[in-house]
Amino acid sequence: MALSVNDVDRFEAFRPRLEAIAYRLLGSASEAEDAAQETFLRWQAADVDRVEVPEAWLTKVLTNLCLSQLTSARARRETYVGQWLPEPLLAGDPMLGPADTAEQRDSVSYAVLVLLERLSPNERAVYVLREAFAYPHREIAEILGLTEAASQQIFHRAKKRVAADGPRTEIDEAAARRVVEEFLAAATSGRTEPLVRLLTQDAIAVGDGGGKVPARARAFEGAVAVAKFMRGLFKINKAKRALVGGSTEVYVSEANGAPAVVVIVEGRVFGVICLEIADEGIAAFRSQVNPDKLERATRQWAATDHGEPLLRAF
């Protein structure tokens, strides 16, 4: 059935919200775009005149598509080379969705997206719809085929699991930038001690290269181990120059609403290091260097002005 112009326009107006929901559910911008497009195809095939609340219908279709995708994605990630991390979104990306409340900002933070991988598909869906988009449990129950009481129970269980290991603090943009600048100064100093002082005792560092860029299969754990790794990461040598394939610029930026280090090589995003900052120091470095997961970041980077890099390396 052919859609009217108004029906198409209504979908397109809602597409950004659908993509923002799908990104939180899947941790992948490209898969979120695909899920939203498949939702459009189903909207196109539906008898839309009989749909009483189009936004609710579209959200239900999209969410269930994502639940099916999550089930197959978990099987694929069992054979993924090295650590699997979500696809980072740089500041200004519309797929980040609403950020008016602390709960909305936390729901798309890199740290929380990693934690959401531990939840069941249903737990993840309930958490995202309620925490990030404030859907009432009555609507969530309808979307997922649950009772309202079950939706409430699932949400409380999921929120408790996320809160136990979630981000420890929220700091303002200026303070976050200072922390990142101090980190980069310490990392390029050639000494371990300045770095150790910036880290929490239980700090971790983990990277996702997808088998295409070298990345350690297991996380570095503890302040000393992480500091030594970071010192080596920013040490200039011929091997690194050959690996990155061009001149390197390092910027202080933001990804998923939190401070990040963005490494640019010949105009493309080579890596995004997302920092998790606690009151007592930097608690985690999560580095995305898989080129397949940085294509959107590269497009977003090219579309905005970033001024001069903080340093040039390698």
Side-chain angles (χ1 to χ4, degrees):
M1 182 178 294
L3 293 177
S4 69
V5 173
N6 286 340
D7 291 331
V8 173
D9 289 345
R10 187 161 195 172
F11 179 88
E12 291 304 329
F14 201 60
R15 185 190 288 269
R17 185 178 180 90
L18 292 174
E19 290 185 346
I21 293 171
Y23 172 70
R24 284 166 169 81
L25 290 175
L26 301 172
S28 166
S30 59
E31 291 178 2
E33 289 176 333
D34 290 345
Q37 185 60 23
E38 178 61 28
T39 302
F40 173 74
L41 294 177
R42 299 196 180 194
W43 174 245
Q44 193 175 39
D47 185 354
V48 297
D49 291 336
R50 300 184 64 181
V51 177
E52 294 182 3
V53 185
E55 288 78 7
W57 188 94
L58 292 168
T59 302
K60 182 173 184 176
V61 170
L62 175 96
T63 301
N64 283 286
L65 284 170
C66 289
L67 290 178
S68 298
Q69 180 75 2
L70 277 174
T71 302
S72 61
R74 288 184 176 223
R76 292 198 308 273
R77 287 168 196 171
E78 290 179 1
T79 59
Y80 191 81
V81 178
Q83 294 277 350
W84 186 94
L85 290 175
E87 183 176 343
L89 297 181
L90 300 182
D93 193 313
M95 199 176 283
L96 289 168
D100 298 326
T101 67
E103 290 79 12
Q104 289 173 335
R105 292 190 292 274
D106 281 348
S107 72
V108 78
S109 74
Y110 213 62
V112 167
L113 288 179
V114 170
L115 290 173
L116 291 182
E117 288 294 308
R118 304 179 187 177
L119 303 182
S120 71
N122 260 12
E123 287 175 332
R124 187 163 183 164
V126 171
Y127 180 87
V128 166
L129 292 172
R130 179 64 179 167
E131 191 79 344
F133 297 92
Y135 280 85
H137 284 290
R138 175 181 51 81
E139 290 187 24
I140 296 173
E142 172 64 23
I143 289 169
L144 298 176
L146 306 168
T147 65
E148 189 170 345
S151 176
Q152 291 171 337
Q153 291 173 352
I154 291 171
F155 174 70
H156 290 307
R157 183 170 64 243
K159 188 170 183 177
K160 185 176 181 180
R161 290 182 65 185
V162 171
D165 297 311
R168 306 180 194 181
T169 190
E170 185 174 359
I171 62 175
D172 63 63
E173 185 176 343
R177 183 178 179 87
R178 287 195 298 272
V179 171
V180 180
E181 289 174 347
E182 289 175 5
F183 157 68
L184 286 173
T188 55
S189 70
R191 296 185 296 124
T192 303
E193 295 78 9
L195 272 169
V196 172
R197 290 195 292 269
L198 293 174
L199 309 179
T200 63
Q201 287 302 305
D202 60 349
I204 64 167
V206 60
D208 177 350
K212 300 183 177 183
V213 174
R216 181 180 165 93
R218 297 182 61 185
F220 290 91
E221 299 180 355
V224 174
V226 171
K228 289 180 177 178
F229 167 68
M230 286 296 171
R231 183 195 64 191
L233 185 66
F234 284 90
K235 186 176 181 180
I236 300 172
N237 57 43
K238 291 182 179 179
K240 285 197 181 73
R241 290 193 182 97
L243 173 66
V244 301
S247 60
T248 303
E249 299 175 335
V250 180
Y251 292 82
V252 178
S253 190
E254 189 178 284
N256 293 73
V261 175
V262 178
V263 180
I264 304 296
V265 177
E266 303 296 334
R268 64 183 176 88
V269 177
F270 180 83
V272 178
I273 305 175
C274 299
L275 281 68
E276 181 183 339
I277 300 176
D279 290 331
E280 60 271 29
I282 302 172
F285 300 91
R286 297 181 176 92
S287 304
Q288 183 56 261
V289 291
N290 182 345
D292 294 342
K293 297 183 181 182
L294 295 171
E295 292 178 359
R296 185 182 179 94
T298 294
R299 295 196 301 271
Q300 180 71 14
W301 188 266
T304 53
D305 179 40
H306 305 280
E308 289 298 310
L310 190 64
L311 62 92
R312 290 180 169 86
F314 310 157

